Amino acid sequence: MNIALDLSAAFDMLRPDIIFELYKDQIPDGILRLLMDFLQNCNFFVSVGEARSNVIPVERGCPQGSVLGLVLFSLFVGKIMENLKCNFFVSYADDSYVGNSGKDLPQVISAVKSNILAHAEALRKIGMVVNEKKTEIIAFQRSGEHEKITIDLSADITLTCAETIRALGVTIDYKLNWLPHLQTVRNKIMRLLNGMKIIRKKILFNNHCRS
């Protein structure tokens, strides 16, 4: 059974002071301070035309699109695996997946619930905002119909196993079948082709009018 937690404004919540505390004994001091210079003493302002807002300091966050961005965010959330008891853990940027397996379904469900709560708590301790209501779970099985397994996290949050889940842009179904992903890719291609047909018609129409 696999868990995918939803993080709100993930890159914007990275805290340099926590990275420093987590890795001050593992990363050479010179490199660590270089990374702190990259993350700290940043400012921003908004300009519209000739108008410009006040300059405001940025106390947390990691520049998105930078070479270091993904690496630093992975370091930031990498320690959470120490709080989990799972069969596998995959993390890339703000996407992380935790998996438990076993033949005893109640035991697996119990382990998954514990991991969701531990995972969310570990992320909150480093300043991340976790949305349990958007958390997804999926139970992989070799055969049979999809089982609607539910996990009660609290009085108002109940998670139900999905038939498909998106992981790093790939649609995976509970039987690990590629058909749902191929269908998603096909639909995207068809939308692009339809858009290109409309553009082509407009270009041909404009050329005809000019001639």
Side-chain angles (χ1 to χ4, degrees):
M1 189 177 292
N2 189 75
I3 310 163
L5 280 180
D6 181 76
L7 301 179
S8 301
F11 277 79
D12 297 332
M13 303 303 290
L14 183 146
R15 288 179 51 181
D17 59 320
I18 291 181
I19 283 190
F20 184 85
E21 287 299 319
L22 288 174
Y23 292 98
K24 63 183 180 182
D25 297 325
Q26 300 179 36
I27 297 178
D29 186 67
I31 296 176
L32 187 58
R33 293 193 180 280
L34 186 63
L35 295 178
M36 292 301 102
D37 287 340
F38 176 72
L39 293 171
Q40 294 176 320
N41 301 318
C42 298
N43 302 292
F44 82 95
F45 64 87
V46 178
S47 62
V48 179
E50 297 181 357
R52 197 178 91 165
S53 70
N54 295 329
V55 176
I56 301 174
V58 179
E59 298 179 353
R60 61 172 62 191
C62 180
Q64 297 188 47
S66 63
V67 175
L68 279 175
L70 292 176
V71 176
L72 290 174
F73 192 86
S74 295
L75 285 173
F76 187 57
V77 300
K79 292 285 187 178
I80 62 177
M81 186 177 180
E82 298 173 0
N83 300 284
L84 305 176
K85 295 180 180 179
C86 57
N87 297 104
F88 70 86
F89 175 84
V90 178
S91 179
Y92 180 78
D94 57 339
D95 294 311
S96 57
Y97 305 91
V98 183
N100 287 88
S101 62
K103 296 181 179 180
D104 187 334
L105 184 57
Q107 193 174 50
V108 172
I109 292 174
S110 177
V112 168
K113 180 177 179 179
S114 296
N115 274 331
I116 293 174
L117 297 175
H119 195 177
E121 181 62 23
L123 288 167
R124 287 195 182 95
K125 283 183 178 179
I126 60 173
M128 303 303 295
V129 178
V130 181
N131 189 342
E132 285 104 334
K133 290 185 178 180
K134 289 187 177 180
T135 294
E136 293 183 293
I137 55 174
I138 186 169
F140 299 116
Q141 56 192 75
R142 295 179 180 178
S143 60
E145 296 297 322
H146 175 251
E147 293 188 33
K148 294 184 178 180
I149 302 169
T150 60
I151 297 178
D152 295 319
L153 288 186
S154 64
D156 59 339
I157 300 178
T158 297
L159 302 179
T160 302
C161 278
E163 292 191 33
T164 61
I165 190 173
R166 283 182 62 80
L168 301 177
V170 179
T171 302
I172 306 171
D173 81 341
Y174 70 99
K175 290 184 180 180
L176 296 178
N177 193 314
W178 284 104
L179 288 179
H181 181 68
L182 293 176
Q183 184 64 42
T184 300
V185 173
R186 176 187 177 278
N187 292 340
K188 288 183 178 179
I189 293 174
M190 293 304 297
R191 286 196 295 269
L192 288 172
L193 288 176
N194 289 334
M196 292 173 67
K197 287 179 182 179
I198 294 172
I199 294 172
R200 180 176 180 273
K201 286 182 180 179
K202 289 186 177 181
I203 292 174
L204 292 176
F205 177 76
N206 291 336
N207 290 339
H208 176 73
C209 291
R210 289 174 184 174
S211 62

